[in-house]
Amino acid sequence: MKKGDLLELDIEKYAFEGKGIAKISKEDSEDKNYVVFVSGAYPGDKVEAKLTKIKKNYSEAVISKLLKSSDYRINPQCAYFGICGGCKQQDMDYTTQVMYKFEQVKETFERLGGFKDLNYEPIIPSDKVFYYRNKMEFSFAEKKWLTYEQINSGEEFDRAFALGLHIPNMFDKVLDIDECFLQSELSNKILSFTKKFFKSRNISIYNSRDNQGYLRNLVIKQAHRTKDLMVNLVTFSEDDELMKTYTSEIIKEVPEITTVINNINLRKALVANGDYEKIYYGSGYIYDYIGKYKFRVSANSFFQTNTDQAEKLYKTTVEFAELKKEDIAYDLYSGAGTISIYISELCKTVYALEAVSSSVKDAEDNLKINNINNVNFVQADLYKSFLPIIEQNNIPRPDVIITDPPRSGMHENTVNDIINLNPEKIVYVSCNPATQVRDLKLLNAAGYQIKRVRPVDMFPHTYHIENVVLLTK
């Protein structure tokens, strides 16, 4: 076998990140279970696949022709499916997506963690499979990505202006889109108007090579439990008159907008937040609810992207924690305080630890909004030991620790701190089962047993999965 060879394959299983698994007999070998991972293939597919990478124990391939279609395949709703990097599983039946996400969690725990015979509870699916996101982030670019259909059409296209989503692994090329099914129809209306407004005026687009240009990002935040709607234009510099005109015209076009903000990002870093911001309409915030609690969301603050599923995630966390009125709880990686506030009435005191000062500020504002006085926010770097901060502030030791780290998981120092604090229960909320399992092995070696595991699907049509685990001593 060599790169570029075409193989006819029957897809038997499904691996994480959208790769179908076929097994073949390898040349010059008695091994009849040599694995070929085929991107975009599903169990039940029969494909002609082109080899792209060959290793001793496996190969990788892409579909060159779909010979027989799996029963799991459906027609994707979005015209940009397969080009845009967003909804990589939109051509798979949603019930099947959820089934494979559950299997992914189980396989990760068994294969990477060596955990057998665990209590896996049914995955919680999303009620909405489209229009579920409360935030979308679009990018301006000077290099518009053309689809094969556009290239082969023979038409001339203006490639110097695009507003849409990045092509995977290409920082400077953007797929110019007219609609996305992840947020709302209002979001698409804002996207369309913004594109026409700036393109018609020949407004420059920032590029990091020359470190010049004006337009960088369009960020839309839309509350699901209130009617608040934020438009945040991220630029490289200020242009007060242009922003005033844009604000006036977009509000006429989309009167549902409640606030318009200009974030000015002076750095080369391609991030959709600014060094400072100017408010051109409204309060500069939107408000939304998780359960009965109200949260203020600023342009740059973190808020769970799927509001409806966030409530299910937090209900699962509360159910696992079984908090008592006399309990001291810690909330690690507490962000804007959503979990801390959500559990506040169920226990005596919550101590919330977070590294980012702006998140701590947002969290303290949310405490005031909800009139809560038994939550204490503490700024702490969770890549170092946080025990000295606990001791300096005379914070009592916890009965329960809830931890919700980023995709990279917890630092070993943090895991050791948790072990030293010796809580009765730990609830570990994760957006990456692989790093979660790595940390759970350390906790398990220190005497904690996994009692309950439950995945929650926050992001339909993607590979991402949240997972909640209860550990007890």
Side-chain angles (χ1 to χ4, degrees):
M1 292 194 307
K2 62 182 183 297
K3 279 179 66 173
D5 281 356
L6 296 176
L7 301 177
E8 193 171 294
L9 301 171
D10 292 306
I11 306 302
E12 302 172 19
K13 295 177 68 178
Y14 191 60
F16 183 47
E17 294 188 348
K19 293 176 181 176
I21 298 174
K23 293 183 179 178
I24 61 171
S25 297
K26 192 181 177 188
E27 296 172 1
D28 304 322
S29 170
E30 296 181 1
D31 182 11
K32 296 183 179 180
N33 291 301
Y34 182 76
V35 171
V36 181
F37 293 102
V38 184
S39 293
Y42 299 146
D45 280 343
K46 188 180 191 70
V47 301
E48 182 183 79
K50 183 177 181 180
L51 290 171
T52 57
K53 183 186 290 185
I54 299 174
K55 299 284 187 180
K56 181 180 178 181
N57 297 320
Y58 71 92
S59 289
E60 293 185 14
V62 295
I63 298 174
S64 62
K65 189 184 294 183
L66 183 62
L67 303 174
K68 176 179 172 290
S69 189
S70 165
D71 292 339
Y72 299 141
R73 284 189 178 274
I74 60 173
N75 291 322
Q77 186 165 327
C78 180
Y80 306 107
F81 176 76
I83 308 166
C84 160
C87 300
K88 293 181 186 281
Q89 295 184 137
Q90 206 185 102
D91 61 342
M92 178 186 276
D93 170 71
Y94 182 63
T95 303
T96 308
Q97 290 182 37
V98 169
M99 175 187 76
Y100 279 122
K101 286 186 179 186
F102 178 84
E103 290 301 322
Q104 172 206 326
V105 170
K106 190 174 178 183
E107 183 178 335
T108 301
F109 273 63
E110 291 177 354
R111 184 170 54 84
L112 294 184
F115 296 114
K116 306 292 183 184
D117 304 316
L118 295 181
N119 176 21
Y120 295 98
E121 300 179 23
I123 186 172
I124 300 175
S126 178
D127 293 331
K128 295 177 184 174
V129 296
F130 292 108
Y131 305 126
Y132 61 82
R133 287 183 67 95
N134 56 41
K135 175 191 174 185
M136 282 299 293
E137 181 181 304
F138 301 104
S139 298
F140 291 93
E142 296 177 298
K143 293 184 179 180
K144 180 191 292 185
W145 180 267
L146 296 185
T147 64
Y148 290 119
E149 290 78 8
Q150 289 172 326
I151 293 169
N152 295 329
S153 69
E155 292 182 46
E156 288 292 323
F157 291 92
D158 177 10
R159 302 189 67 170
F161 191 104
L163 176 58
L165 298 169
H166 277 281
I167 296 295
N169 304 317
M170 294 189 183
F171 77 95
D172 61 342
K173 291 184 174 64
V174 163
L175 178 68
D176 191 68
I177 67 171
D178 296 314
E179 66 176 343
C180 176
F181 294 103
L182 289 181
Q183 199 169 32
S184 71
E185 291 178 6
L186 277 178
S187 175
N188 290 324
K189 200 171 179 181
I190 292 165
L191 174 69
S192 177
F193 174 84
T194 301
K195 187 188 306 182
K196 289 174 186 173
F197 178 90
F198 290 110
K199 188 175 180 181
S200 67
R201 287 164 173 78
N202 293 316
I203 304 302
S204 63
I205 294 170
Y206 175 78
N207 76 71
S208 57
R209 293 179 305 278
D210 304 325
N211 198 33
Q212 63 183 17
Y214 180 71
L215 297 165
R216 301 188 71 144
N217 300 94
L218 170 69
V219 183
I220 303 167
K221 291 191 175 185
Q222 185 171 17
H224 279 214
R225 307 291 170 80
T226 70
K227 293 183 177 181
D228 288 356
L229 177 59
M230 175 192 292
V231 173
N232 174 25
L233 192 76
V234 184
T235 62
F236 182 57
S237 58
E238 288 187 42
D239 189 330
D240 206 42
E241 288 305 311
L242 182 62
M243 275 304 304
K244 285 177 180 176
T245 305
Y246 171 68
T247 300
S248 173
E249 294 196 20
I250 198 169
I251 290 168
K252 288 177 189 172
E253 183 74 15
V254 188
E256 294 88 348
I257 293 168
T258 55
T259 190
V260 178
I261 301 164
N262 178 204
N263 259 246
I264 295 91
N265 176 7
L266 303 171
R267 295 158 288 160
K268 278 193 171 186
L270 299 177
V271 292
N273 51 54
D275 296 285
Y276 64 97
E277 68 180 37
K278 297 183 74 173
I279 299 167
Y280 283 87
Y281 179 72
S283 66
Y285 304 98
I286 62 171
Y287 293 87
D288 211 347
Y289 286 85
I290 297 179
K292 67 180 183 180
Y293 298 104
K294 185 177 183 179
F295 296 95
R296 189 174 80 175
V297 182
S298 63
N300 296 322
S301 64
F302 173 78
F303 190 71
Q304 286 284 0
T305 314
N306 186 334
T307 311
D308 296 343
Q309 287 301 96
E311 187 165 341
K312 294 178 185 178
L313 181 73
Y314 293 176
K315 281 181 178 177
T316 303
T317 301
V318 164
E319 181 190 335
F320 280 22
E322 292 184 319
L323 292 161
K324 300 185 289 292
K325 283 291 185 182
E326 64 272 19
D327 280 344
I328 302 294
Y330 283 13
D331 175 17
L332 306 185
Y333 309 90
S334 57
T338 48
I339 290 178
S340 302
I341 289 169
Y342 193 85
I343 68 173
S344 59
E345 70 174 3
L346 302 173
C347 56
K348 181 180 178 181
T349 313
V350 183
Y351 292 93
L353 281 70
E354 168 61 45
V356 181
S357 58
S358 60
S359 294
V360 173
K361 172 67 168 62
D362 287 332
E364 288 171 343
D365 290 337
N366 286 325
L367 278 188
K368 293 172 187 172
I369 290 166
N370 291 283
N371 196 27
I372 290 170
N373 52 28
N374 69 331
V375 177
N376 302 280
F377 287 97
V378 181
Q379 191 170 347
D381 184 353
L382 295 177
Y383 284 97
K384 301 175 182 176
S385 174
F386 64 86
L387 287 182
I389 294 173
I390 298 298
E391 290 160 6
Q392 287 164 19
N393 292 278
N394 295 315
I395 296 173
R397 297 209 161 204
D399 302 293
V400 179
I401 288 180
I402 296 171
T403 181
D404 185 8
R407 289 189 60 77
S408 56
M410 294 192 288
H411 192 278
E412 191 171 346
N413 292 337
T414 310
V415 177
N416 289 332
D417 284 354
I418 291 172
I419 292 166
N420 285 326
L421 287 166
N422 197 32
E424 286 292 326
K425 285 178 281 192
I426 302 164
V427 181
Y428 191 148
V429 183
S430 173
C431 58
N432 184 348
T435 56
Q436 185 182 38
V437 161
R438 178 201 66 204
D439 299 340
L440 292 175
K441 288 170 72 175
L442 296 175
L443 293 166
N444 182 246
Y448 283 93
Q449 289 188 322
I450 298 173
K451 292 295 185 181
R452 301 176 73 176
V453 181
R454 188 161 204 188
V456 181
D457 185 23
M458 302 282 282
F459 303 108
H461 311 306
T462 75
Y463 311 136
H464 300 299
I465 183 71
E466 296 272 341
N467 193 48
V468 187
V469 173
L470 169 65
L471 304 103
T472 61
K473 279 167 59 177

